Each structure stands twice: as structure tokens, then as C-alpha cells.
Amino acid sequence: MLGTYNYCLVLLSILVAIVVSHTALRLAARVASARGSTAPMWLAGGAVAMGTGIWSMHFIGMLAFSLPIALSYDLTPTIGSLALAIATSGFALKLASQPESGLMRLSVGALIMGAGISAMHYVGMTAVQVVPMIQYEPGLVMASVAIAIGASFAALWLFTHLGTQNTWRVRATRVGAAFIMGLAVSGMHYTGMAASRFAANSYCLNPAVGGNGMDTRWLALVIATIALGLLAITTILLVYDAHLESNVRRYNAMLEDANAKLQHAATHDALTGLPNRVLLADRMGQAIARAARHEIRFAVLVVDLDRFKAINDSLGHIAGDELLQEVARRLSGLLRKDDTLARLGGDEFVLVIHEVATAQDAEVVARKVLSQVALPIHLAGLDVHVSPSVGIALCPDDGVDSETLLQHADAAMYHAKKKGRNTFQFFAPAMNAFARERLELESGLRAALAQREFELHFQPKVDVASGRIESAEALIRWRHPKKGLIPPGGFIPLAEETGLIVPLGEWVLYEACRQAREWQDQGLQLRMAVNLSARQFRQDGLIETVRGALSVARLEPRYLELELTESAVMQDAEVSVQIMRRLSDLGVRISVDDFGTGYSSLSYLRRLPLDKLKIDRSFIREIVTSRDDAQIVRAIVSLAHSLHLKVIAEGVETAEQLAFLRSLGCDQYQGYLCSPPLPPVEFLTLLPHHRPIEESKRVPPSLEDTMISRVLRKV
């Protein structure tokens, strides 16, 4: 008995097979990536969806076949074939989820899976209730089993090689593979159907079940709808799960990126991108361990830029940042692969140079640092020149831990600055004492103001013509509890560096005004001269500070004279003009100290509300022996008088110097010839007894003329 096929149902079964294959490939990828409690759920759900799809393809294919007699199906074998399909699908997904599958394992898996699919088909065929029983063509049966095994091997191979990625190439490959697998599975089914032989006198045992009373086309459509619906739901779940997984991966990537940025920020300098103190400590720890293990040396170089603050203040912080970035680039160019360059903060850099055989090797690097940093840097339209001071410490010679090495290299760097800057210095044990002394000095300086350890000494300013003391200059001293009286040169530079010069200068101003008022109450009408530092001069509250000091002391402004260095005035001449005019409006006198050592512009000098120019002591020291110094002093006196300014010379120590100044028309002098700076009580002893220079110290006029002529002729 020959049967026929409903080709619409055949096409429907092939479509179901292709959809099942595509869903199976996606399920395999998801099961392989599942972890934790979700893995069994995906395996069980995937097995049901995939097995139901395979079984529905098989059953639709059976419904597509018809004989001249009505057919009916036994429920028990039908359910059994469905169970076999689900079990076989679960096995396939479990095998595909394994991380590694060799050829032997794939072959055994394909054999078992092919046998399961074949068993599902032929068990399903036993559900057909026909007598006599269906006979099979052995060759075609073997062919159908072979096709099932081959399709299973191809499916398992694709499961393991397509992976869990979701790129467009993988998606396209998956669609093509699903189409081929669907045809292969259909081919296995219809080959098995072709192996079936029905006897000519066959009849149905139970025509009422699935027989003439039921349209097989509608049954096939119902089964196909259920199967495709289940596969569609599974596909939607897979797509949604992939979307969630993609979001999780994206958020994880963002989190890892954020963590990497935080880690980088925690270990690197934000401005230059160089390692910071944290990462430097780690790198130095590794270098120390390697040096100890291999018995080799390495060098630590601390590099500090000289006068960086002046550039920062004059050109602005943006230009200062650009300078630091350029210096970082230049220093980075000197490094080898294993070396480290770090920025500790401010204008201080650290180089860790590995495998330094001798101190000369470190010296070579230091000289390269000096030459590279010294090259001009274009900032704010100007070619700026900076210089570094470099301190060098060697491991293990100067220390075997990072803290000690950095401390010693830093001490060597400060020693290089003390030697004149723009140089390098190797660490020596004696530098530790200097560094400790400097640290103790800074600590004591901060406490000295609160503990009233500072005092003022006063040096008279004398009229050259009459010899009368007209005013006094207030000069600060530090009465250290252990070191005794410290002159300003011992702590003023440190106060400038640490910023303590501002409160220190304010104390001097208030105390000097108080002392001037006290002398006035005693009948002494002396003008008080007070030095202003460059930093104090640039403070926004300077005018209010001066006004406050005068008010508290009840001192008239005309009795206060403020002395400014020439370099401080000319640092920003236009701003200086405005500040000095406001001070002059208060009624105080203003003089320029150390005149001749800076770079004054005459166009600004005539605009400044000045009262005096003070000639620097460096010109007075050799005024009677150096023609150049004599000519400079003569020019300064002439210039000052042409601008209606008085001239005062400082550092006058001999009668010959005073005689020369008198001949040039200098107005005032101060120096050891009259008196060194004295405490207030001792200063008062000068006034009643002070007289013009004694006759024994006065140079005769004829000798003055001869001396002046000799100097000007440079005899």
C-alpha cells in the first residue's frame, strides 16, 4: 500500500525544523554561559522547548503522510516519543555547555544524540495503529540513522564553536547553520518515512482516534502553532536575557573603567600624569628589593625648580602648570624603560635611575637634567628660562629604605640651592645636620611669634652735613631660647620661603610704630623706617595693615617711612605705582632700598611717589678705591636730586667713605661708622651724646679733593 504527502504540511514541518535548529543554537550558547542557580533552569527549559520543537516537526511530518485508509495514533507511544525528544535535547545542551569538547567526545555525543532522535522517530511510528504492523527497509533505516548521527555531530560542533558571542558574523552563521540543520533533520525524518512499508490489506485498529473524524491538516496546524509559539517565547526570553546580559557587561565595563580611573588618579599626578608619592613608594620598594637581590645600585634624584614661585606669580598659575608639564616631558625623555619619574607636588620631581654602577653614572644623569631644564620654555608669549637644583642619593650607600633615600636626596637638593642653585649635589652625612637644623629652625620660627621671641634693634640714619640723627631703621632680631640672638640673615630667607614673612612683617610694623610713639612721648621726634618684604608689599590688606598700625600706636603718618627693595617695586611696576600712591595718600614716606642692584625704569621711577633712594652697600664698600663704584654713586645722587629725592647711603664704615659722600652731596648715611643696630635702651644713649664726626675722624678738605680726584682718575 502506497501513501501520499501533503506538501503544505511537509513545508510546515521543514519550517519548524529550521526554527527549532536556530533556537537550539541560541539555547546552547545561553546554557554554556549560564552560571549558578540559573544554569539548571536554562538547561531544563531549553530541553523542553527544543525537544517539543523536534517532536512537533516529527509529528507534523507524520500527519503530512496519508494512506488510502484512515489512520489513528496510540497516545502512549506518542508521549513516549515526546519524552525521548526532550531527553535527547537535554543531553545535547548539556554536552554543548561543556568548556572543552574533543573529536572523540563529539563523536560519542553525536552517536548518542542521533540514536535518541532515531528512537524518537521510530517510537513515534509505532503509535500508528495499523494491522499488519509496519515493515521497514533496512537500508533506508540505516541511512536515516546515519543522517541523524551526522546532523547531531554537525549540531554539536556548531554548539561548541559558535560560542557565546553575539556579533553580526556569529548571528549570520547561526542562521545559515539553522537552515542546513533543519534540512538535515527533515531529511532524516522523511528518509525514515520512506523506509516504512504498509501491507496491501492493512487496516486501522481504532479509526475513531485520529481517524476520519479529525482533519489531520488542522491537527498539524495546532501542533505547529503550539510548537512555534513555545519556540517564539523561548526566543523572546533569549533575546531579553541577551539584552540584560549586554547591559550587565556594559555596566561592568563602565565600572571597571571607573575603577581603573580611580586607581590611576590615586597613584598618578593629575597635572603631569606622572606617578605620585604613593606609586613612587611602591616603585622604590621594588627597586630596593632588586638591588638587594642582585647586589646592584640605583640612584634617587630629587629635582626642584629654582624660583618657580616668581614665574607662577608673574605669569599666572596656568603658565606655571604649562611649565611643570613641559619639564615633566623633558625629564621623561631622559628615562630608560625601567626608570621612574614621579612628581611629589609643587615643583619637585623625583627620578629613580636603576643599575647605577658608580656615582659618575648618576652625575651624567644629573648633568642631563640641568641641560634639559635650562633650555628656554615659551610661556605667555615669552621665552622663560628656569634652572633646577638636584640632590642625589645612592642605594645602598645612602640608605636602604625609600623614606631615608628620599630624605637624603632632599637634603642634598637643599644643599645645592644653598651653594647657588642650578647645580647638583651628592648626599653627605653632614647634610643631615643641616637639614635637621633647618627643620628645627622652621618649627621654632612658627612658635617664636606666639612666644614673643622677636625684638627690634634700631640703627640711626644721620644727616651727612650736620651729623645729626634724623631717623632710625627698625631691624628685627630673634632671641632664640637656645641659640641666643639670631640676625635676620639666619631666618628671614626661611620666613620668605614658608610664607611666615607676612605675619612677621606685620609684627615689625606694629612694634616699630609703637616704639616711635613711645620715643615721641619722651620728647624725641624721630622718623621710623620699616622694611616691607616683596610678599608683604603684594598683600591685599597692606593699606589696612599700615593704617591699623598707625592708629593703634597713635602715630602721625609723616613719622613712618616704608622701605621697599628695587626688585619688589619693579616686579610689576604698574601695580606698584597704584599701591605706593595709596600709601603716599596715607601720609607715610616711601623710599627704595638697595637702589642700583635692580632694573629700574626711569619712566616708572619718575611716576613713583618716592621720598628717598637708598644706595646699596655694595657700591659704598669700595667707593674710595673703585672708579666704577664712585661714578655709579655720583650718577645715583645726581639722578635722585634731579627728581627732587633725598639720597641715603647704607653701609658707611669709614670716615673716607663719609667724606666722599659729603663731597657728592649725599643727604643721609647709616652704618657702623655711626653705630650698629642697637636695642631701644642703648639706642637712646646715642642721642644726647651724639655730635658731628670728631675732628680726629674728619678728613681735611684738601685731602678730600685729592682723594676724590685719585678715585676718579682710577690711580
Side-chain angles (χ1 to χ4, degrees):
M1 185 183 297
L2 298 178
T4 59
Y5 285 95
N6 184 327
Y7 292 106
C8 291
L9 296 182
V10 170
L11 291 175
L12 180 60
S13 68
I14 295 174
L15 174 63
V16 171
I18 293 173
V19 173
V20 168
S21 300
H22 185 268
T23 306
L25 290 173
R26 298 199 63 168
L27 277 169
R30 184 62 188 89
V31 170
S33 64
R35 296 292 182 271
S37 60
T38 61
M41 295 174 58
W42 276 108
L43 180 61
V48 171
M50 180 177 167
T52 302
I54 294 174
W55 176 83
S56 62
M57 174 267 158
H58 156 76
F59 201 73
I60 292 170
M62 289 181 61
L63 292 176
F65 180 75
S66 61
L67 290 171
I69 61 174
L71 296 177
S72 62
Y73 303 91
D74 189 355
L75 186 59
T76 301
T78 302
I79 295 175
S81 66
L82 174 60
L84 280 171
I86 293 174
T88 302
S89 298
F91 170 79
L93 293 176
K94 181 65 177 178
L95 185 64
S97 65
Q98 301 303 312
E100 294 183 5
S101 296
L103 181 61
M104 179 60 68
R105 188 172 184 177
L106 285 179
S107 299
V108 173
L111 183 63
I112 296 173
M113 184 177 171
I117 293 175
S118 300
M120 174 208 69
H121 172 78
Y122 289 106
V123 169
M125 288 295 292
T126 63
V128 179
Q129 295 182 315
V130 65
V131 177
M133 295 180 60
I134 304 173
Q135 302 297 314
Y136 294 97
E137 177 67 32
L140 292 177
V141 170
M142 293 180 61
S144 67
V145 173
I147 293 173
I149 294 173
S152 298
F153 184 88
L156 290 175
W157 188 90
L158 288 170
F159 286 170
T160 56
H161 286 77
L162 284 179
T164 60
Q165 297 181 357
N166 200 31
T167 63
W168 69 270
R169 290 182 181 275
V170 172
R171 289 195 295 269
T173 305
R174 190 178 290 139
V175 171
F179 186 79
I180 296 172
M181 282 178 58
L183 292 179
V185 172
S186 300
M188 173 269 161
H189 171 80
Y190 288 107
T191 302
M193 290 294 293
S196 304
R197 296 290 182 265
F198 294 89
N201 57 346
S202 297
Y203 63 93
C204 183
L205 286 176
N206 190 7
V209 180
N212 295 331
M214 178 177 293
D215 191 337
T216 57
R217 290 176 299 177
W218 286 107
L219 180 60
L221 288 174
V222 170
I223 294 174
T225 302
I226 294 173
L228 291 174
L230 182 60
L231 294 173
I233 293 173
T234 304
T235 302
I236 292 172
L237 289 175
L238 287 168
V239 170
Y240 182 68
D241 180 76
H243 173 71
L244 292 179
E245 189 176 6
S246 174
N247 284 342
V248 169
R249 285 197 301 268
R250 182 162 56 88
Y251 291 140
N252 286 341
M254 293 171 61
L255 183 60
E256 290 177 2
D257 183 60
N259 286 336
K261 289 180 179 178
L262 287 174
Q263 179 69 18
H264 186 274
T267 56
H268 288 77
D269 172 55
L271 178 63
T272 61
L274 296 176
N276 61 11
R277 190 180 297 273
V278 175
L279 186 54
L280 174 65
D282 180 70
R283 298 275 181 87
M284 288 188 66
Q286 296 178 26
I288 291 169
R290 184 166 70 172
R293 186 167 57 252
H294 298 289
E295 297 183 353
I296 57 177
R297 286 175 166 182
F298 71 90
V300 178
L301 282 69
V302 172
V303 181
D304 189 86
L305 302 183
D306 301 329
R307 300 182 180 88
F308 171 73
K309 186 180 183 304
I311 295 176
N312 224 10
D313 292 342
S314 58
L315 299 181
H317 291 286
I318 295 178
D321 289 347
E322 292 178 1
L323 171 62
L324 292 174
Q325 290 170 336
E326 177 60 26
V327 170
R329 281 192 289 269
R330 293 182 181 184
L331 294 180
S332 297
L334 302 177
L335 301 181
R336 297 167 300 180
K337 183 179 179 180
D338 293 338
D339 298 336
T340 296
L341 171 64
R343 181 187 175 214
L344 295 187
D347 58 337
E348 193 170 69
F349 298 86
V350 175
L351 291 88
V352 179
I353 309 299
H354 291 282
E355 297 183 10
V356 175
T358 63
Q360 285 71 26
D361 294 338
E363 180 178 336
V364 170
V365 177
R367 292 190 182 280
K368 289 181 179 179
V369 169
L370 294 177
S371 62
Q372 283 296 312
V373 177
L375 296 175
I377 300 174
H378 195 72
L379 298 172
L382 299 173
D383 284 334
V384 177
H385 295 263
V386 293
S387 63
S389 295
V390 183
I392 308 171
L394 300 176
C395 178
D397 306 55
D398 301 322
V400 291
D401 62 88
S402 59
E403 184 176 351
T404 301
L405 287 168
L406 283 174
Q407 179 184 346
H408 288 174
D410 201 54
M413 182 270 293
Y414 276 109
H415 197 72
K417 283 186 177 291
K418 191 177 179 181
K419 286 181 62 177
R421 307 173 189 263
N422 193 27
T423 187
F424 64 89
Q425 186 70 40
F426 283 91
F427 171 76
M431 295 176 186
N432 261 342
F434 167 75
R436 183 172 182 83
E437 181 182 356
R438 184 180 182 276
L439 187 61
E440 291 177 351
L441 192 66
E442 180 181 345
S443 177
L445 192 60
R446 294 183 182 276
L449 269 173
Q451 297 174 2
R452 301 179 180 273
E453 295 176 2
F454 293 106
E455 57 186 61
L456 292 183
H457 287 196
F458 302 91
Q459 187 173 39
K461 293 185 176 183
V462 187
D463 181 75
V464 171
S466 65
R468 184 171 57 88
I469 295 177
E470 295 184 333
S471 56
E473 181 178 359
L475 300 168
I476 191 171
R477 300 291 187 269
W478 182 4
R479 184 72 64 177
H480 196 278
K482 295 181 179 179
K483 300 181 180 181
L485 194 65
I486 301 179
F491 62 90
I492 290 296
L494 183 59
E496 288 273 9
E497 184 179 336
T498 58
L500 292 173
I501 193 66
V502 174
L504 196 60
E506 186 173 331
W507 178 86
V508 171
L509 184 61
Y510 272 80
E511 179 63 17
C513 290
R514 186 201 63 77
Q515 185 63 67
R517 180 62 195 181
E518 181 179 315
W519 284 340
Q520 286 185 5
D521 293 340
Q522 297 174 14
L524 302 175
Q525 303 295 321
L526 293 177
R527 181 177 292 118
M528 183 66 70
V530 177
N531 291 285
L532 291 182
S533 70
R535 180 175 289 192
Q536 190 179 7
F537 180 60
R538 298 293 172 187
Q539 289 291 308
D540 293 336
L542 174 63
I543 307 302
E544 288 71 20
T545 300
V546 173
R547 186 184 287 113
L550 293 170
S551 175
V552 169
R554 295 179 292 107
L555 183 69
E556 294 181 37
R558 61 193 178 98
Y559 287 106
L560 177 62
E561 179 180 321
L562 299 177
E563 293 189 1
L564 301 163
T565 62
E566 184 180 10
S567 57
V569 172
M570 299 310 298
Q571 184 177 353
D572 190 340
E574 199 63 50
V575 174
S576 298
V577 170
Q578 302 301 322
I579 297 174
M580 294 173 70
R581 283 179 177 172
R582 293 180 64 190
L583 290 171
S584 181
D585 291 341
L586 289 179
V588 302
R589 305 298 176 87
I590 303 174
S591 64
V592 173
D593 197 3
D594 301 336
F595 189 80
T597 61
Y599 304 93
S600 294
S601 168
L602 293 180
S603 63
Y604 279 105
L605 193 61
R606 63 183 177 83
R607 294 172 55 192
L608 296 174
L610 299 177
D611 297 283
K612 291 180 185 177
L613 294 182
K614 180 184 279 191
I615 304 174
D616 187 70
R617 66 178 67 247
S618 61
F619 300 114
I620 303 301
R621 186 180 302 115
E622 299 181 7
I623 193 174
V624 297
T625 58
S626 169
R627 179 182 179 183
D628 291 339
D629 287 348
Q631 291 287 20
I632 289 173
V633 172
R634 180 189 294 277
I636 292 174
V637 172
S638 176
L639 171 65
H641 288 168
S642 68
L643 295 174
H644 308 290
L645 303 176
K646 287 187 176 182
V647 182
I648 179 171
E650 64 176 340
V652 178
E653 298 180 356
T654 66
E656 288 81 4
Q657 292 172 340
L658 178 60
F660 196 98
L661 291 169
R662 184 183 295 113
S663 70
L664 296 180
C666 185
D667 300 290
Q668 290 182 333
Y669 81 93
Q670 68 181 100
Y672 277 51
L673 179 63
C674 174
S675 171
L678 297 171
V681 176
E682 296 181 27
F683 181 83
L684 290 179
T685 62
L686 294 174
L687 300 176
H689 305 288
H690 187 76
R691 296 290 183 269
I693 300 298
E694 300 175 10
E695 292 299 325
S696 61
K697 295 183 180 180
R698 187 181 295 278
V699 180
S702 59
L703 181 57
E704 286 186 8
D705 294 339
T706 303
M707 181 173 58
I708 294 171
S709 300
R710 184 174 69 246
V711 171
L712 295 180
R713 289 198 308 270
K714 202 176 183 180
V715 175

